[in-house]
Amino acid sequence: MSPPLDPAIWPSLRLALHIAFFMAIFFLLKQILELREMAQLRHLARPKGAFRIPLVMIAIAFGALLIYQASWQLTGMLRPQFIAFMQLHDRREFNPAHWIRRGRILDRNGEVLAYSEEIQGKVYRLYPDGPVFSPVVGYSQPRFGSTGMEAVANVHLNGGAPADLSGWGELGRQIVGGGQGPRGQDLRLTLDADLQRMAVARIGERRGAILLMDPNDGDILVLASVPSYDPNRISSDLFMSQDPSAPLLNRVTQGLYPPGSTFKIAVAAMALERGFDERIDCPADGYTTSSRYPKIRDHEYYSALEHGSRWKGHGRIDMRRALSRSSNVFFAKLGVIEGHDAFRALGERMLMNRQITLHRTPYGTYAMRTGRMPRLSDRDLYGLAQLAIGQGKLLVTPAYMGLLTAAVARQGIAVRPRLLDRDPPQGVARFMSADTANRLADMMRTVVAEGTARGIDTPDLSIAGKTGTAQNPQGASHSWFVGFAPTQRPTLAIAVLVEEGGYGSAVAAPIARDLLLAAHAKGD
Amino acid sequence: MQPKPHSRPRTDSLADAWLARWPERQILVWSALTVGLGFLMVIGSGYADGRPTDPRALLPLGLYALSLAIMHLILVSARFQGDQILVGTLAFLAGFGLLAQYRMGGIRLEDLSTPDLYLLPGGVLTMLAVGLALMRGRFERLADWTWAWAGISLVLVALLLVFGHRYRGAVYGAGLVTPTELLKVTVVLFLAGFIDRHGRRLGNWGKAAVPIPPLRALLPLALFWILLAGLLLLQRDLGLFVVLSVTLLLMLFVGTGRRGYLILGALLASAAGYLILEIFAHGQRRIAAWLSPFEDPTGNSWQILQGLSGMYSGGLWGEGFGEGHPEYTPIAQSDFIYAVIGEELGFVGCTLLLIFFLILFGRMLEIADRTRSNFGRLLCVGLTSVLVIQTFLNLGGVTKFIPLTGITLPFISHGGSSLVTGFVSLGLILAISERSPARRQGAQSPRTPTGRLRAARETRPDQAKRARKR
């Protein structure tokens, strides 16, 4: 057995051995060169010197190879893609790529959301607000790589080539000594830190998702998913745990929920586009396509039942009233009238079953899902009725509902939501004609002025919107509100989802109102 | 005490031989010491990491030192006069390879009967056997079996094709032995014999304004090559075929002095390369991974980028042997051993390794330059070409200088077949460096056994005369 060795002295011993090993090789080389004379091949013919040319050629080839190798091994930091790769995929903790002081991530007003700091010879990535911004910012951590914008904007955050002479000097010092990495460039997001904090605080202990964006240029002001993880404390437990609250799930862009009544906006738009302008009889007893299926009824029916009274029904109503009362019977019937093809066209036109890219670099994509719309068989009329009231097998992401609302606010055009204001504004699709959008916006204003969302009507801001109380097979209903403000010339569009929150008008709508008011007051 | 090397090692006494091989002894001792330091580093870092130390860990080092000592003693007692620098440089490179393999855990010590442990001593013994058997100019007899070497080569590939099994896209014999490695010797032996015998005809490109290669003389060679190419490409052993083809062209050039062969070769190579890329999907993938490694960083380029990440982590000096994490690079102990060296010994370690390779190649080329045997010269050039191309393809592939070819690094990479083949090649070159047979009259020398015997007898006075002249 080798003698007991104190692990504490190993680092210095290692260094000594390392140096000794190199010295021994150098000495060996020197010996070989010196002994060459003495070990001449005297019994062979005199050298003709013909071997020198190929030897020089080999030496040149090896030299070129070494120079190229050095461009990776020694000056690899000048290859941003390489650094990004190592930060994402190299698990060697001593890799200097992990020491680079990355640029900060800022909100639209310059508030710091993420920064790097050197603490006792190691660079740490710190997130002052913990889990608040992690759905957007993500994390960057040597062992677990990076996600979110930390991953997507990796190269930018690491900085490019040195800008000036002193930068190059620093680089040289680094190569020889292995010093600190270069400082990267800052990344400014469109998020508003105050509003995002407020959104997270308002969801509180519940689970939920909020998207607040500018329908005109696509700026995302709030992208909140609660609960989330703390990017300062990434550990394997986070990835192993079967936590039902799913902190790693970005509920806004990836979470799929039944949209409930908020989807009636899309159905209404589709029907208006197809020239629907009639009244439909909505009896209190409800509607079904076949006696085999339970009846679809309005919520007034159920609340009357609870109070022991009888509700006499809406009677023959038009779309404005149906939307403001959120009549299930009306929209179920409307869905069946319009038929399967109309819904398939809606799914195409309004980008169902898609991914929409918010920001893309060669190293990753920040994207949102739109939703999942089932393909119904032509005989499945009940499925169609369910689809028309946002139930059944239809699932959407909160981000999609935000985008749909923004499209109504922006004359029917869905503008790509963006996280960086250097991405040019870009329309992704026209969801409906400008005329339809205007009529629908007017109806949505009625919802808040005198309909299901009248509880949040405020003299300070003209809000238009739609509530949703989506039945959830796993538990209590999800509470939805989508809307925009001001109704004339909208600058804000919002989607709020509170999981198992109950009535949309009671839970999600007040949160939306307060955020819209705060954002409007800030002038964002 | 620094003994004077004997200027006239003619007396053939054991003491003179002992003195004459003093430089070799020096280099061997230092090689063993240096490699020993490396072992200490690896064992120490394992100990610091809390891995149990096993006294058997020193066994590979002991066997290495022992084989060097035995080799040296045998060379001295056989009055071997072959190149001492070559022996010493090779001994260090092989020791370095052993160290790298030991560090990668490629040498399992649980079981003392494991073949890994005896590969290096076995290789050294093989080299000795080849070198001693063919010393005093006896290597010339290999030229008598020109077509036998061709036959052996084809049979080797064909047998492997029939009985081998596929693994990681290539064909292997039993126990992942790659008998095709031996082609690097047998094909070169065939080529050396063939070009030596037909050198004049092969060099006759006509006197027309546009030189035309001697197609009739080239015909047998071309047929053999087409057969070989077909068999190798069936096995997807593109790398070996490239190595052998470039060697063929270099040998033709050296054997005839015709630059046309190089030009012709370059043309054929571009055409063949284009065709091969059209046919083989994995070739295209490798080109893509080479040209744009970040297109598919977690797929095709994963291995090369992990290797480069390790080298970048190593920086100028490296973290020290045993301190890195080369296990993150897939199959690092084989094709990517150079990346491991870059990671743990840094850029300086890589440069030093290349210098040793350069010394080795330089000596081999010098021997080719100085031997009086045309066959020996061609053989030497061929074997050197194979090793140089192999080294360059491997290092270039790992550093992303050129596309990956999946070729091993001689003497360093994991793989018994490759190691033993390398030692056989070196044994041949040592035999050539030992002594040249009697000067022959160009390529038309007597090929009969008696003629050869006479030639051998004439060697000694000739050598003695030369020695006296000095």
Side-chain angles (χ1 to χ4, degrees):
Chain A
M1 287 297 293
S2 56
L5 172 77
D6 182 4
I9 65 159
W10 170 245
S12 40
L13 192 61
R14 180 190 71 82
L15 192 66
L17 275 173
H18 198 81
I19 295 170
F21 184 66
F22 275 122
M23 302 264 281
I25 297 183
F26 276 121
F27 188 76
L28 185 63
L29 260 181
K30 195 171 141 265
Q31 289 245 302
I32 289 177
L33 294 179
E34 281 174 5
L35 292 172
R36 217 174 36 163
E37 272 305 300
M38 226 177 277
Q40 276 198 33
L41 301 165
R42 295 199 166 75
H43 42 273
L44 293 187
R46 277 172 203 287
K48 293 182 276 291
F51 71 97
R52 283 178 210 280
I53 296 163
L55 185 60
V56 166
M57 281 165 63
I58 297 172
I60 289 172
F62 278 17
L65 191 144
L66 276 174
I67 290 169
Y68 185 75
Q69 181 185 339
S71 79
W72 290 90
Q73 189 164 15
L74 301 181
T75 58
M77 61 285 269
L78 301 184
R79 296 174 181 268
Q81 294 177 309
F82 184 42
I83 296 289
F85 171 83
M86 290 191 290
Q87 284 175 339
L88 274 177
H89 299 300
D90 190 22
R91 292 185 289 151
R92 298 168 178 88
E93 282 180 11
F94 59 91
N95 190 327
H98 301 311
W99 308 343
I100 292 177
R101 277 187 294 170
R102 292 157 71 80
R104 298 171 301 170
I105 297 180
L106 310 169
D107 90 331
R108 65 190 298 117
N109 302 312
E111 207 173 318
V112 178
L113 310 182
Y115 65 102
S116 291
E117 192 169 280
E118 195 183 312
I119 303 168
Q120 291 173 346
K122 272 191 88 172
V123 175
Y124 293 89
R125 190 72 167 160
L126 299 173
Y127 306 87
D129 281 282
V132 173
F133 297 96
S134 53
V136 177
V137 170
Y139 60 81
S140 168
Q141 211 262 359
R143 237 185 105 206
F144 298 101
S146 52
T147 60
M149 290 307 281
E150 289 272 36
V152 176
N154 213 334
V155 172
H156 178 84
L157 289 166
N158 287 329
D164 49 17
L165 206 64
S166 73
W168 284 99
E170 168 72 13
L171 203 65
R173 205 179 55 73
Q174 235 178 78
I175 291 165
V176 177
Q180 304 158 352
R183 219 199 145 94
Q185 292 163 274
D186 291 347
L187 184 74
R188 186 184 287 263
L189 302 178
T190 56
L191 290 185
D192 184 305
D194 293 332
L195 294 174
Q196 173 100 359
R197 285 192 204 103
M198 180 179 163
V200 170
R202 286 301 302 269
I203 299 174
E205 295 299 309
R206 291 167 293 195
R207 299 177 210 157
I210 297 178
L211 179 86
L212 175 62
M213 64 181 275
D214 184 328
N216 303 304
D217 55 17
D219 277 3
I220 296 176
L221 302 172
V222 172
L223 197 160
S225 171
V226 181
S228 192
Y229 57 90
D230 185 349
N232 296 304
R233 293 187 183 81
I234 302 294
S235 71
S236 49
D237 294 344
L238 183 64
F239 306 100
M240 309 283 266
S241 79
Q242 299 291 315
D243 190 348
S245 70
L248 286 172
L249 173 69
N250 186 334
R251 291 177 159 72
V252 183
T253 59
Q254 308 299 323
L256 289 171
Y257 302 91
S261 301
T262 53
F263 194 67
K264 288 170 185 163
I265 298 172
V267 179
M270 176 263 284
L272 289 173
E273 292 279 275
R274 290 165 59 86
F276 178 87
D277 191 18
E278 287 143 53
R279 287 165 181 267
I280 296 178
D281 183 36
C282 301
D285 193 30
Y287 165 75
T288 184
T289 54
S290 153
S291 54
R292 278 176 297 150
Y293 298 114
K295 285 195 164 177
I296 293 169
R297 295 185 171 109
D298 287 325
H299 62 97
E300 287 92 342
Y301 173 88
Y302 295 103
S303 40
L305 213 60
E306 266 174 43
H307 295 108
S309 60
R310 260 184 68 91
W311 176 59
K312 58 184 189 328
H314 287 306
R316 285 181 67 82
I317 52 171
D318 64 358
M319 187 181 280
R320 173 184 296 275
R321 185 157 175 79
L323 202 67
S324 88
R325 292 292 163 189
S326 196
S327 170
N328 290 334
V329 175
F330 180 94
F331 278 95
K333 282 188 167 178
L334 177 64
V336 174
I337 292 168
E338 296 296 336
H340 285 95
D341 289 339
F343 273 87
R344 278 172 207 145
L346 178 155
E348 266 313 299
R349 184 169 192 189
M350 301 202 188
L351 305 180
M352 271 300 185
N353 307 316
R354 299 274 183 84
Q355 294 265 355
I356 295 176
T357 302
L358 307 195
H359 185 67
R360 186 201 296 275
T361 68
Y363 316 99
T365 303
Y366 195 100
M368 58 171 272
R369 293 180 72 171
T370 54
R372 202 156 66 202
M373 193 178 201
R375 196 171 167 79
L376 298 175
S377 88
D378 280 340
R379 277 185 308 233
D380 187 3
L381 291 177
Y382 192 71
L384 204 57
Q386 290 232 302
L387 197 59
I389 59 167
Q391 294 288 164
K393 289 189 178 120
L394 175 70
L395 297 171
V396 298
T397 61
Y400 177 73
M401 289 317 297
L403 187 64
L404 175 64
T405 312
V408 177
R410 176 74 169 74
Q411 309 279 308
I413 296 171
V415 175
R416 187 187 300 279
R418 62 177 186 179
L419 284 163
L420 301 178
D421 53 14
R422 59 186 162 91
D423 291 340
Q426 184 192 16
V428 276
R430 177 173 271 288
F431 278 10
M432 63 201 80
S433 69
D435 182 47
T436 303
N438 288 337
R439 286 171 69 187
L440 200 52
D442 192 37
M443 291 181 198
M444 285 169 72
R445 172 63 198 146
T446 318
V447 172
V448 179
E450 54 197 51
T452 52
R454 61 187 174 277
I456 65 162
D457 198 19
T458 159
D460 301 330
L461 184 63
S462 164
I463 301 173
K466 181 76 195 79
T467 56
T469 308
Q471 280 171 31
N472 167 21
Q474 278 94 37
S477 298
H478 294 319
S479 182
W480 278 98
F481 183 84
V482 300
F484 54 87
T487 312
Q488 307 301 324
R489 299 182 173 280
T491 56
L492 300 162
I494 193 167
V496 177
L497 164 82
V498 178
E499 284 182 30
E500 306 188 354
Y503 283 111
S505 54
V507 179
I511 299 177
R513 175 197 54 201
D514 294 350
L515 276 168
L516 288 172
L517 280 173
H520 188 63
K522 289 192 84 170
D524 278 344
Chain B
M1 178 201 84
Q2 174 147 335
K4 289 266 180 296
H6 213 282
S7 51
R8 289 189 185 82
R10 273 177 301 131
T11 46
D12 279 5
S13 86
L14 203 56
D16 284 342
W18 173 255
L19 277 182
R21 293 197 86 76
W22 176 77
E24 177 183 282
R25 200 154 50 247
Q26 283 291 99
I27 299 171
L28 291 185
V29 167
W30 269 102
S31 295
L33 282 177
T34 312
V35 173
L37 269 176
F39 267 86
L40 276 186
M41 275 164 85
V42 177
I43 294 170
S45 62
Y47 182 82
D49 282 355
R51 269 170 296 197
T53 39
D54 184 346
R56 278 184 295 187
L58 288 171
L59 202 58
L61 176 66
L63 277 174
Y64 169 64
L66 193 66
S67 14
L68 292 195
I70 290 175
M71 171 181 73
H72 182 66
L73 291 178
I74 291 179
L75 287 177
V76 167
S77 51
R79 274 59 154 186
F80 191 78
Q81 297 182 9
D83 192 351
Q84 308 187 39
I85 301 290
L86 197 63
V87 173
T89 313
L90 174 68
F92 176 71
L93 278 175
F96 198 88
L98 178 77
L99 187 55
Q101 289 309 321
Y102 175 72
R103 185 265 169 274
M104 292 306 294
I107 300 167
R108 290 180 301 274
L109 295 167
E110 299 88 55
D111 179 8
L112 290 189
S113 65
T114 169
D116 301 336
L117 210 47
Y118 306 105
L119 267 180
L120 181 77
V124 171
L125 285 182
T126 315
M127 177 177 80
L128 270 184
V130 172
L132 294 181
L134 302 175
M135 66 193 274
R136 311 271 187 266
R138 283 193 290 263
F139 65 86
E140 281 257 312
R141 291 184 198 174
L142 296 175
D144 297 345
W145 301 344
T146 301
W147 285 100
W149 297 121
I152 290 171
S153 308
L154 292 178
V155 167
L156 263 178
V157 202
L159 275 182
L160 187 63
L161 208 55
V162 175
F163 296 110
H165 59 273
R166 290 198 165 268
Y167 177 72
R168 278 182 193 151
V171 184
Y172 293 84
L176 295 190
V177 171
T178 41
T180 40
E181 285 284 331
L182 274 178
L183 290 190
K184 291 170 188 168
V185 174
T186 54
V187 169
V188 170
L189 276 169
F190 160 69
L191 290 177
F194 184 86
I195 299 172
D196 175 39
R197 193 174 301 178
H198 305 294
R200 194 165 289 173
R201 286 175 62 206
L202 289 169
N204 182 9
W205 279 49
K207 295 194 169 62
V210 181
I212 294 163
L215 297 175
R216 272 189 75 100
L218 280 171
L219 192 64
L221 195 57
L223 284 178
F224 170 78
W225 214 254
I226 288 166
L227 219 53
L228 185 72
L231 286 171
L232 280 178
L233 293 187
L234 272 179
Q235 303 188 19
R236 303 270 175 81
D237 204 341
L238 208 56
L240 182 60
F241 181 65
V242 170
V243 170
L244 292 178
S245 298
V246 178
T247 304
L248 164 74
L249 295 172
L250 289 174
M251 287 175 77
L252 275 174
F253 169 64
V254 170
T256 61
R258 280 276 171 187
R259 278 202 198 91
Y261 280 115
L262 292 184
I263 296 161
L264 193 71
L267 289 176
L268 281 176
S270 348
Y274 178 76
L275 269 180
I276 283 165
L277 282 184
E278 287 291 299
I279 295 165
F280 290 101
H282 76 292
Q284 286 164 9
R285 278 203 302 276
R286 278 177 171 170
I287 297 275
W290 172 58
L291 285 177
S292 43
F294 297 107
E295 284 285 303
D296 186 14
T298 53
N300 284 335
S301 331
W302 178 255
Q303 190 184 23
I304 186 153
L305 285 177
Q306 279 294 332
L308 288 170
S309 302
M311 302 219 294
Y312 178 73
S313 306
L316 191 61
W317 300 100
E319 288 287 308
F321 243 131
E323 293 291 313
H325 284 290
E327 64 272 15
Y328 294 150
T329 309
I331 350 180
Q333 73 276 16
S334 179
D335 297 1
F336 272 69
I337 195 74
Y338 187 67
V340 177
I341 292 161
E343 173 173 348
E344 307 214 313
L345 297 178
F347 186 69
V348 176
C350 287
T351 311
L352 288 172
L353 182 69
L354 283 197
I355 291 176
F356 276 94
F357 268 115
L358 212 53
I359 294 175
L360 190 77
F361 298 147
R363 288 309 275 201
M364 288 159 79
L365 288 172
E366 189 177 338
I367 293 163
D369 186 39
R370 291 177 63 175
T371 183
R372 286 189 201 89
S373 152
N374 190 44
F375 171 72
R377 190 163 65 97
L378 285 167
L379 187 57
C380 203
V381 165
L383 295 173
T384 311
S385 305
V386 168
L387 286 175
V388 171
I389 298 159
Q390 215 186 324
T391 308
F392 187 77
L393 286 183
N394 175 279
L395 301 185
V398 172
T399 53
K400 211 190 81 64
F401 193 45
I402 54 174
L404 261 185
T405 34
I407 282 194
T408 53
L409 186 59
F411 305 114
I412 313 285
S413 281
H414 185 72
S417 319
S418 160
L419 191 68
V420 170
T421 307
F423 275 116
V424 170
S425 307
L426 264 287
L428 284 169
I429 293 178
L430 277 179
I432 298 166
S433 79
E434 211 271 342
R435 204 166 298 180
S436 306
R439 181 183 296 274
R440 294 188 289 140
Q441 308 304 311
Q444 265 69 37
S445 71
R447 286 253 160 224
T448 57
T450 41
R452 190 169 293 283
L453 217 71
R454 194 175 58 238
R457 239 182 272 120
E458 283 164 4
T459 309
R460 277 160 194 275
D462 175 51
Q463 293 259 302
K465 224 180 286 165
R466 289 193 151 264
R468 239 175 279 131
K469 246 188 247 165
R470 263 190 224 126

